[in-house]
Amino acid sequence: MIRTHGLTHIAIAVRDPRRSFRFYQRVFGAVAVVRGEGFLQAQTPGSRDVIVFERNPSRAGKAGGVAHFGFRLVDPADLDAARRAVERAGGRILSSGEFCPGEPYLFALDPDGYEVEIWYELPTAVDPTLPSRRRKPRAAPRYPRSATRTTSASRRGRVSKA
């Protein structure tokens, strides 16, 4: 068995990568990390997830075997705020309720028609445990103002860091 951080990446076909990114930015706080020709890659703060918005209008919103994807809430009380954020960002609520007592959910459509689940799940036996004490964050490295962060792909002229 190999060790991973779990399922952390999804690439979705969209009509307009910037417009799609704005929805996830407004609802989940997504941050653009890489922009390239026809795509935008984002992450949500505090996680290792990667969402890639790839321009492909003919496939946008088509499930292709994927029924939906989801974002697990840290606090069940945040579901009402999630509902408001989805609606303000141009999404549409499909359904909501509780899977069982204490596990609220909602399903919504994003602007491209993808079904997104937002839910709270009670801790399971395989969830990572929270550290008993937090480590002090390390200071960020200091670079000259002229330095920019690059990847091997950006050095080849394919992408630029957001």
Side-chain angles (χ1 to χ4, degrees):
M1 179 179 86
I2 60 170
R3 291 179 45 140
T4 73
H5 287 288
L7 179 61
T8 61
H9 178 110
I10 186 166
I12 58 175
V14 300
R15 289 182 277 283
D16 178 348
R18 286 183 178 188
R19 181 194 65 139
S20 297
F21 164 70
R22 283 191 302 272
F23 174 83
Y24 290 87
Q25 180 184 42
R26 291 174 182 156
V27 177
F28 301 107
V31 176
V33 293
V34 178
R35 296 174 194 266
E37 186 62 36
F39 78 94
L40 189 151
Q41 181 175 313
Q43 288 181 255
T44 52
S47 70
R48 290 185 168 93
D49 64 5
V50 174
I51 308 167
V52 181
F53 306 100
E54 296 179 353
R55 179 176 289 117
N56 188 334
S58 66
R59 292 186 61 206
K62 296 183 180 168
V66 176
H68 69 270
F69 52 92
F71 292 82
R72 187 175 177 182
L73 293 170
V74 172
D75 185 336
D78 290 338
L79 194 70
D80 287 335
R83 175 189 309 279
R84 290 188 301 273
V86 165
E87 291 169 340
R88 281 194 310 264
R92 184 168 59 93
I93 304 299
L94 296 175
S95 65
S96 63
E98 279 193 322
F99 290 122
C100 66
E103 293 191 0
Y105 71 87
L106 69 78
F107 286 91
L109 291 180
D110 78 0
D112 285 293
Y114 287 103
E115 189 169 327
V116 180
E117 178 183 6
I118 304 172
W119 89 105
Y120 176 80
E121 185 171 335
L122 296 169
T124 68
V126 296
D127 281 344
T129 57
L130 296 174
S132 56
R133 62 186 169 126
R134 296 190 180 267
R135 287 187 291 169
K136 187 175 181 181
R138 292 186 346 203
R142 295 183 184 229
Y143 297 104
R145 287 190 187 271
S146 62
T148 57
R149 190 171 149 221
T150 62
T151 64
S152 58
S154 66
R155 285 191 292 276
R156 290 190 300 272
R158 292 190 190 164
V159 298
S160 63
K161 293 309 246 177

